[in-house]
Amino acid sequence: MAVRIGLTGGIGSGKSTVLAMLQERGAVPVDADAISRATTASGGLAIPAIRVQFGPEFVTADGALDRERMRERAYAQPEARRQLEAIIHPLVGQEIERQVGNALAAGAACIVFDIPLLVESGRWRAQLDRVLVVDCEPETQVRRVVARSALAPEQVRAIIAAQAPRALRLAAADLVVCNEGLSLAALRSEVEQAARSFGL
């Protein structure tokens, strides 16, 4: 039976790099965020229900969710976010199940669920064998995200503030990869150590 690992970490923590390293060792990734985005992309499975629930003005000309308009609606009416989640979450759940089924059928030893809101959602823990948290100092997060994107430091701090508190993530962890001041080689060594404990 495949080991099920939940991978999480704040923005700029290096979670994607850690996931890529685990993949190199044979882990099969299931990216909940990418699956969620696909449901609201052009022609995504959630689009027909979004059009019915919110109106055609919430769907762009190329058939995707108008994210900006939806953000404004959700800000003005918190209930809109819950309505949107009620459309998207079941579709995401079905696709995750499909990908897990494929991984198991292919004989995967380890499935890594990349879940940005693992700690916040609460429902994930029971479905996982271990939780791996990639961690670093908040100022390191800010520096990395500013360097790779067009965001200003205060925007990045606002995103960090909206995510689960660092202490809460660490409390949920079975294993922590501390990605602070490490070279890529040193990070790889940390990840390999974690991977061995997952049977990879």
Side-chain angles (χ1 to χ4, degrees):
M1 193 62 184
V3 180
R4 295 171 183 236
I5 306 299
L7 175 67
T8 195
I11 186 170
S13 62
K15 185 168 60 67
S16 302
T17 306
V18 168
L19 180 61
M21 290 174 175
L22 287 169
Q23 269 182 269
E24 286 168 13
R25 293 187 66 89
V28 176
V30 174
D31 186 337
D33 217 18
I35 292 169
S36 179
R37 281 197 303 276
T39 66
T40 59
S42 179
L45 292 176
I47 297 301
I50 288 169
R51 192 178 270 115
V52 170
Q53 176 77 51
F54 296 101
E57 67 274 19
F58 281 86
V59 178
T60 63
D62 64 347
L65 171 67
D66 186 331
R67 291 180 185 282
E68 196 54 49
R69 191 183 284 257
M70 184 56 77
R71 244 193 308 273
E72 286 169 16
R73 167 67 67 89
Y75 184 73
Q77 302 172 17
E79 181 59 27
R81 179 193 289 271
R82 285 190 286 277
Q83 290 168 337
L84 182 64
E85 286 173 351
I87 293 169
I88 293 172
H89 284 176
L91 296 171
V92 172
Q94 287 163 20
E95 178 58 19
I96 286 173
E97 272 181 39
R98 191 188 70 78
Q99 290 189 17
V100 168
N102 288 349
L104 293 174
C110 177
I111 302 171
V112 179
F113 297 84
D114 181 355
I115 311 167
L117 302 179
L118 188 152
V119 177
E120 292 92 326
S121 75
R123 67 190 180 88
W124 271 101
R125 193 61 187 92
Q127 301 173 52
L128 302 167
D129 295 310
R130 314 274 290 280
V131 171
L132 173 62
V133 172
V134 185
D135 183 58
C136 64
E137 294 293 334
E139 280 311 304
T140 303
Q141 290 177 262
V142 172
R143 201 167 57 247
R144 285 178 183 156
V145 178
V146 167
R148 77 179 186 209
S149 71
L151 296 174
E154 56 273 17
Q155 289 175 296
V156 181
R157 288 191 186 95
I159 293 168
I160 292 170
Q163 293 184 330
R166 183 184 183 195
L168 205 60
R169 264 199 307 273
L170 291 172
D174 294 305
L175 207 63
V176 177
V177 168
C178 183
N179 186 18
E180 186 67 52
L182 296 183
S183 65
L184 214 51
L187 177 62
R188 187 179 298 280
S189 165
E190 289 272 318
V191 172
E192 285 175 354
Q193 203 175 325
R196 278 194 292 276
S197 77
F198 305 151
L200 287 176

